[in-house]
């Protein structure tokens, strides 16, 4: 039985004051909900997340990681640095990084490798654009994105990945994928993993992301291959984030 996992992706939002309120609101509102929960914060706020969440059931992580271990890479943040601040998760290949920072699937795969080497859990994101969906290319696109990762990850590490299906057309648009569209994509991703790693495929958590809210979370999470959510906008308000966790 796979555990459910809900991760808030704060993206480039927050301030020390706002984060304090958000983190304490999340911690205060959580009870034994039987799912895992985390927030992925901007790198400058990792220490604040660590201070506010240590000793709670909420884990924390980052939104990106360097492929390099250390050295002359101005502006980069290494997996070891994230680990130094107690991070559990790191997002790899969010569509906003692929779109605005030209991250290729091969680079994303190397980021997942770097994260695993430091003992972090990479949350590797996949998703098609609206044009790709309308052209009937969804499976081809997400399969290629996934394959790039499977090509470089050691067999024994496949079960350590978290996958996230985030259709680009559903991110921040209010247009959530229907539960059936999301389930079909999740099952497809799981089947792709299973071709090479049958046991890992059955256990790997696949999160849905894209305009998930308290109102639509329950129906999405009820799908057999949806193991949780990667939440953007709704993760910035404690009441909404908690509402999604409760829907699990
Ligand atoms: P929204 O929930 O704002 O659509 O963002 C989803 C997302 O990109 C999470 O990584």
């Amino acid at each position: 039985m796979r555990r459910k996992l809900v991760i808030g992706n704060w993206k480039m939002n927050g301030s020390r004051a706002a984060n304090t309120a958000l983190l304490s609101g999340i911690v205060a509102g959580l009870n034994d909900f039987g799912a895992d929960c985390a927030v992925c914060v901007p790198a400058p706020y990792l220490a604040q997340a660590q201070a506010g969440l240590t000793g709670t059931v909420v884990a924390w992580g980052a939104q990106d990681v360097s492929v390099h271990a250390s050295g002359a890479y101005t502006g980069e943040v290494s997996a070891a640095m994230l680990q130094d601040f107690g991070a559990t998760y790191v997002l790899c290949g969010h569509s906003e990084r692929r779109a605005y920072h030209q991250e290729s699937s091969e680079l994303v795969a190397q980021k997942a490798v770097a994260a695993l080497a430091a003992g972090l859990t990479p949350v590797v994101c996949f998703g098609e654009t609206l044009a790709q969906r309308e052209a009937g290319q969804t499976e081809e696109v997400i399969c290629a994105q996934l394959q790039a990762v499977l090509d470089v990850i050691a067999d024994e590490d496949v079960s350590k990945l978290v996958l996230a299906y985030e259709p680009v057309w559903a991110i921040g648009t209010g247009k959530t994928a229907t539960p059936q569209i999301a389930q079909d994509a999740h099952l497809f991703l799981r089947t792709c993993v299973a071709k090479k790693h049958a046991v890992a495929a059955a256990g790997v958590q696949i999160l849905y992301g894209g305009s998930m809210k308290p109102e639509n979370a329950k129906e999405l999470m009820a799908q057999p291959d949806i193991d949780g959510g990667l939440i953007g906008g709704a993760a910035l308000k404690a009441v909404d984030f908690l509402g999604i966790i409760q829907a699990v």
Side-chain angles (χ1 to χ4, degrees):
M1 180 73 184
R2 294 183 298 272
R3 272 179 76 78
K4 298 276 192 206
L5 170 63
V6 178
I7 300 180
N9 172 11
W10 289 5
K11 308 195 179 185
M12 199 175 71
N13 292 292
S15 65
R16 281 202 293 167
N19 302 345
T20 299
L22 180 51
L23 292 173
S24 54
I26 294 169
V27 170
L30 276 178
N31 38 40
D32 189 11
F33 50 89
D36 294 327
C37 165
V39 290
C40 285
V41 305
Y45 297 131
L46 276 167
Q48 189 181 16
Q50 183 177 34
L53 298 174
T54 296
T56 75
V57 295
V58 185
W60 59 95
Q63 301 169 11
D64 187 28
V65 65
S66 176
V67 299
H68 304 291
S70 67
Y73 301 103
T74 302
E76 297 251 53
V77 176
S78 73
M81 292 171 185
L82 303 181
Q83 211 251 0
D84 209 11
F85 283 95
T88 300
Y89 297 100
V90 61
L91 307 183
C92 298
H94 189 282
S95 62
E96 288 150 16
R97 304 256 358 135
R98 293 181 192 257
Y100 308 142
H101 300 272
Q102 290 74 46
E103 291 195 6
S104 66
S105 293
E106 292 68 32
L107 182 78
V108 171
Q110 290 304 328
K111 292 187 172 195
V113 169
L116 286 164
L120 301 171
T121 298
V123 180
V124 192
C125 306
F126 313 102
E128 81 287 2
T129 63
L130 185 59
Q132 289 165 333
R133 170 158 286 272
E134 286 175 349
Q137 296 167 341
T138 298
E139 293 194 348
E140 184 190 325
V141 167
I142 61 178
C143 181
Q145 291 173 340
L146 171 64
Q147 196 54 49
V149 178
L150 296 180
D151 283 348
V152 298
I153 297 283
D155 286 353
E156 64 272 21
D157 283 344
V158 175
S159 62
K160 297 179 191 160
L161 299 172
V162 171
L163 310 182
Y165 172 61
E166 295 207 311
V168 177
W169 47 271
I171 294 177
T173 58
K175 283 190 205 147
T176 319
T178 63
Q180 194 58 53
I181 286 179
Q183 163 60 23
D184 289 348
H186 283 230
L187 178 59
F188 174 74
L189 285 169
R190 198 179 300 286
T191 309
C192 293
V193 178
K195 284 190 185 137
K196 232 176 112 189
H197 310 278
V199 176
V204 73
Q205 290 168 309
I206 309 181
L207 313 184
Y208 168 78
S211 299
M212 197 185 264
K213 310 181 260 284
E215 304 84 66
N216 59 28
K218 198 167 186 162
E219 223 191 329
L220 284 160
M221 306 269 199
Q223 302 303 310
D225 288 286
I226 300 185
D227 305 312
L230 183 53
I231 322 298
L236 298 174
K237 278 195 194 152
V239 63
D240 288 347
F241 192 53
L242 290 166
I244 291 172
I245 294 166
Q246 269 148 22
V248 174

